[in-house]
Amino acid sequence: MTELLVQAEQRGRVGLITLNRPKQLNALNDTLMDQLGAALLAFDADAQIGAIVITGGAKAFAAGADIEAMADWTYTDVYSSHFISRNWETIRQVRKPVLAAVAGFAMGGGCELALSCDIIVAAESARFALPEIKLALLPGAGGTQRLPRAIGKAKAMDMALSARMLDAQEADRYGLVSRVVPDEQLLEKTLALATQIAGYSTPALMAIKESVNRSFESSLTEGILFERRELHARFASEDAHEGMHAFLDKRKPVFQHR
Ligand code: HXC
């Protein structure tokens, strides 16, 4: 029987995914990434879910790709199996907001997984690093692309070339994370934020996520055109009319996620 390396549970309108390979500090192997991808897609397809949280353990969010698994792989192995592309990028298909709740080590592929999320909430204990250079590898799960977009070239080069580790406060200052919270409140605060977000109109959230992500893929003019079309499309939704009328009526909106 396949080992369960990811736990998925529903908390109201939030899908909570917990990486569960604690002895290996949640080192990300193929099975774990398959299970993570499946859990993400299941929550994304579930109309009762409005936002998703990925978390790890107290000591590690994830200490990176599984070095033991990779150590003897050849070029043909990774090329043929489509390593990384095959199951690490499933998260890019997810249209609902994904939050990472990070305590402890988020290293290498673990840091890259967090960077693939839309919002990172860091506990005070969180530590972020791209130490692949120490293995003569490189941050090959999007790290060389997402990190400079997140924190700029100067800090990204420093982290990727020297394996510099950032603590939570540095990560906050540089814009790598969205918020820093005390460790004992990490899950509670992240779930509260996810619950708040999940209470908004799901299609509106998707439109915002898609528009923000488009800003990394397009010129300003093209991006603004995309955003404008998304805005116009909101006027075809029941939720936008409900939201505006509820404001005028001084009542709470009731969104149907339509
Ligand atoms: C496999 C790992 C692992 C990893 C930790 N472990 N990280 N196993 N892959 N990435 C295992 C250890 O071997 C050890 O197993 C157990 O988890 C506990 O780890 P320790 O090292 O004993 O803990 P500690 O001394 O507290 O140090 C924590 C740590 C260190 C600083 C996070 O474990 C570490 O440096 N890990 C590697 C981090 C790293 O290089 N990540 C990048 C990987 S490459 P045993 O059996 O001894 O108890 C990568 C590339 C992604 O992510 C992009 C695609 C290529």
Side-chain angles (χ1 to χ4, degrees):
M1 210 177 74
T2 314
E3 214 182 340
L4 210 57
L5 302 180
V6 156
Q7 285 169 355
E9 57 196 292
Q10 187 171 344
R11 301 281 185 96
R13 280 186 55 78
V14 177
L16 174 62
I17 298 174
T18 307
L19 310 180
N20 186 28
R21 217 187 158 212
K23 282 199 189 98
Q24 293 83 10
L25 304 184
N26 291 333
L28 304 165
N29 65 11
D30 218 35
T31 306
L32 190 154
M33 293 313 291
D34 277 344
Q35 293 178 5
L36 174 61
L40 284 166
L41 292 181
F43 281 139
D44 205 37
D46 184 342
Q48 302 309 313
I49 297 293
I52 301 166
V53 172
I54 302 176
T55 195
K59 182 172 174 185
F61 176 72
D66 188 334
I67 300 169
E68 193 180 350
M70 293 190 294
D72 295 319
W73 284 349
T74 64
Y75 171 77
T76 304
D77 291 333
V78 294
Y79 182 76
S80 301
S81 69
H82 219 198
F83 179 47
I84 302 297
S85 309
R86 190 182 73 77
N87 51 5
W88 285 60
E89 293 191 334
T90 309
I91 194 166
R92 296 188 70 192
Q93 298 170 35
V94 177
R95 298 171 71 205
K96 293 171 183 168
V98 181
L99 295 81
V102 178
F105 296 110
M107 297 184 63
C111 182
E112 293 173 290
L113 173 61
L115 283 166
S116 303
C117 297
D118 304 311
I119 288 177
I120 302 176
V121 180
E124 293 281 358
S125 69
R127 298 289 180 272
F128 298 88
L130 293 179
E132 286 92 339
I133 187 60
K134 291 186 181 175
L135 307 170
L137 291 173
L138 85 161
T144 67
Q145 304 304 302
R146 290 197 184 93
L147 191 65
R149 283 168 168 81
I151 67 175
K153 175 181 167 180
K155 301 297 184 197
M157 282 289 194
D158 192 357
M159 286 180 73
L161 296 178
S162 77
R164 175 181 176 185
M165 187 183 286
L166 301 185
D167 65 28
Q169 295 301 340
E170 289 170 311
D172 192 31
R173 267 204 312 281
Y174 302 158
L176 174 50
V177 305
S178 304
R179 305 179 184 197
V180 180
V181 301
D183 276 70
E184 60 280 9
Q185 295 174 15
L186 176 67
L187 199 55
E188 169 199 332
K189 294 261 187 204
T190 311
L191 285 172
L193 176 59
T195 300
Q196 180 197 345
I197 291 170
Y200 298 131
S201 165
T202 299
L205 292 167
M206 288 174 170
I208 291 171
K209 173 168 172 167
E210 196 175 12
S211 295
V212 173
N213 282 334
R214 186 55 71 102
S215 76
F216 297 108
E217 310 278 353
S218 60
S219 67
L220 183 61
T221 302
E222 286 299 321
I224 284 176
L225 177 61
F226 184 84
E227 177 203 78
R228 200 61 31 83
R229 294 294 175 246
E230 291 280 1
L231 171 69
H232 293 167
R234 298 311 312 137
F235 287 83
S237 74
E238 292 175 22
D239 285 347
H241 293 112
E242 165 64 9
M244 291 185 281
H245 280 286
F247 174 81
L248 294 173
D249 297 346
K250 303 192 188 305
R251 61 174 174 83
K252 276 187 73 152
V254 182
F255 294 126
Q256 301 298 330
H257 308 291
R258 280 201 289 260

